[in-house]
Amino acid sequence: MTQISDRLAELQENSAVLIAVYDEEDRLRYANPAFRSTYAIEPDETPLWSELMRRNTRMGRGTIIRAADFETWLVSAQSRRGKLPFRAFETDVVDGRWFWMTETVQKDGWMLCIASDITHLKQSERDVRQDRDFALRASQTDELTGISNRRFMMSALESLIAHQGSADAGVGCICIIDLDFFKRINDIYGHQFGDDVLIDFSRRVQPVIRRRDSFGRIGGEEFMLILPDTTLAQAELIIERIIAMVRGACPKPSVPCFSYTCSAGLAELRPGETAREVYARADEALYNAKQSGRDRLKIVA
């Protein structure tokens, strides 16, 4: 067995295939030389994925990012990254190579990334597949905020519900979050200002949630957070932290007196429950939070 492990380690180190492992916080924990060379990572470095993308974009290395605003792209990419047990897509890097990238995520959030060089495929075929990937991302992304949209979130909720029936299913929670008095914000400051508040909220929440959590805008000023393998007590701590973070924010330096709050409804999945049923319970909890004064979390039993 030791001999096989040693041989496997040797193959990984010498392979032209890019291999990397990220932990549940999306920090690089292992990368073979091919991966480190492509993404300009020193042997002793263990950067967060977001740090790596930001640094490589600044240096002109690694993945080609076709976006006018890097931070908007980053929030959008994080809203999809590591949310599914398996995902595959194409990506190209600045040295001209194209890769077929796969992400395999374990239950504890650790992720294996493998990228195979497909540069030899015809350009016309790559263009067709790239157009398909762009269309798929667009269909799953909220146009204003860049995070996941209702279609993606409901699909993620259905996937979580389906997983509840498997032998290794764990606990899970969903939370619906609504910005308080949002109509008043639009009426006083205008709809463009309101859009900026929605974007601000998205930018604040996305970086602080765990990679395996799914976060998206499901309509108007309403957002959903899906927390797999999370107890009610753990989810409560996460949501309370988000509410406090928003409450203390000053989103518009040009209007220093402006601030906003949010209310949240939390529900834990029950065995045999449908997506519609758990959503309705979280929505009921949100209604209770609104009725009891806003700027707070309510949990429904």
Side-chain angles (χ1 to χ4, degrees):
M1 209 48 201
T2 301
Q3 183 180 9
I4 294 175
S5 297
D6 291 343
R7 181 56 60 89
L8 179 59
E10 181 182 353
L11 289 170
Q12 289 174 174
E13 287 294 296
N14 297 326
S15 176
V17 173
L18 279 56
I19 303 171
V21 176
Y22 292 86
D23 65 17
E24 72 279 6
E25 302 299 329
D26 218 8
R27 182 173 295 280
L28 184 69
R29 300 296 291 271
Y30 167 79
N32 69 345
F35 190 97
R36 290 184 178 273
S37 174
T38 300
Y39 290 98
I41 307 169
E42 295 297 327
D44 59 342
E45 281 190 293
T46 59
L48 289 167
W49 178 81
S50 57
E51 294 172 350
L52 178 59
M53 292 296 103
R54 185 175 285 111
R55 183 181 70 183
N56 279 6
T57 299
R58 187 172 60 249
M59 295 170 55
R61 300 289 298 271
T63 302
I64 295 176
I65 298 171
R66 297 176 176 84
D69 183 339
F70 172 81
E71 295 302 326
T72 297
W73 173 87
L74 182 63
V75 169
S76 181
Q78 287 178 317
S79 73
R80 295 183 300 274
R81 179 174 166 81
K83 311 307 180 190
L84 302 173
F86 179 82
R87 185 170 74 118
F89 55 94
E90 290 185 26
T91 187
D92 52 340
V93 295
V94 295
D95 64 13
R97 289 179 294 165
W98 281 66
F99 289 97
W100 178 250
M101 178 79 76
T102 63
E103 297 174 349
T104 305
V105 184
Q106 292 185 311
K107 185 179 177 181
D108 62 3
W110 282 59
M111 182 166 70
L112 171 67
C113 297
I114 298 177
S116 302
D117 193 334
I118 57 170
T119 311
H120 63 281
L121 297 180
K122 294 179 181 178
Q123 179 68 42
S124 59
E125 294 174 353
R126 293 205 305 261
D127 289 344
V128 169
R129 289 193 303 276
Q130 188 177 56
D131 289 344
R132 176 205 61 201
D133 289 346
F134 284 158
L136 178 60
R137 286 197 294 272
S139 72
Q140 299 174 338
T141 303
D142 177 60
E143 186 175 356
L144 174 64
T145 62
I147 62 174
S148 298
N149 62 11
R150 184 181 183 88
R151 174 183 293 182
F152 181 92
M153 293 303 297
M154 296 310 294
S155 177
L157 180 56
E158 291 285 0
S159 177
L160 181 63
I161 294 291
H163 183 68
Q164 291 298 105
S166 65
D168 64 339
V171 293
C173 298
I174 78 160
C175 181
I176 301 177
I177 308 172
D178 189 88
L179 303 192
D180 295 328
F181 301 112
F182 190 72
K183 183 179 184 300
R184 184 185 301 174
I185 294 173
N186 279 333
D187 290 344
I188 295 174
Y189 297 99
H191 288 276
Q192 180 61 60
F193 192 98
D195 286 351
D196 290 343
V197 171
L198 294 172
I199 294 170
D200 178 81
F201 179 74
S202 302
R203 295 282 182 88
R204 292 182 188 279
V205 175
Q206 184 64 57
V208 301
I209 63 173
R210 303 165 303 180
R211 192 189 59 215
R212 66 181 181 273
D213 301 332
S214 295
F215 172 62
R217 181 183 176 211
I218 56 176
E221 66 273 25
E222 196 166 86
F223 297 78
M224 181 191 291
L225 181 58
I226 299 175
L227 304 152
D229 303 311
T230 306
T231 66
L232 204 56
Q234 291 169 332
E236 183 176 3
L237 291 175
I238 293 170
I239 305 305
E240 290 286 9
R241 186 164 66 245
I242 289 173
I243 292 173
M245 175 187 64
V246 171
R247 184 189 302 129
C250 180
K252 300 288 286 185
S254 59
V255 189
C257 62
F258 173 78
S259 63
Y260 68 100
T261 59
C262 63
S263 301
L266 180 64
E268 186 176 32
L269 271 65
R270 295 171 176 168
E273 192 171 38
T274 66
R276 180 185 292 270
E277 288 168 342
V278 69
Y279 183 97
R281 289 197 298 113
D283 197 44
E284 177 188 350
L286 173 63
Y287 177 79
N288 293 338
K290 293 284 189 180
Q291 291 298 107
S292 59
R294 296 180 171 83
D295 187 25
R296 65 197 62 201
L297 166 67
K298 287 294 183 179
I299 302 171
V300 66

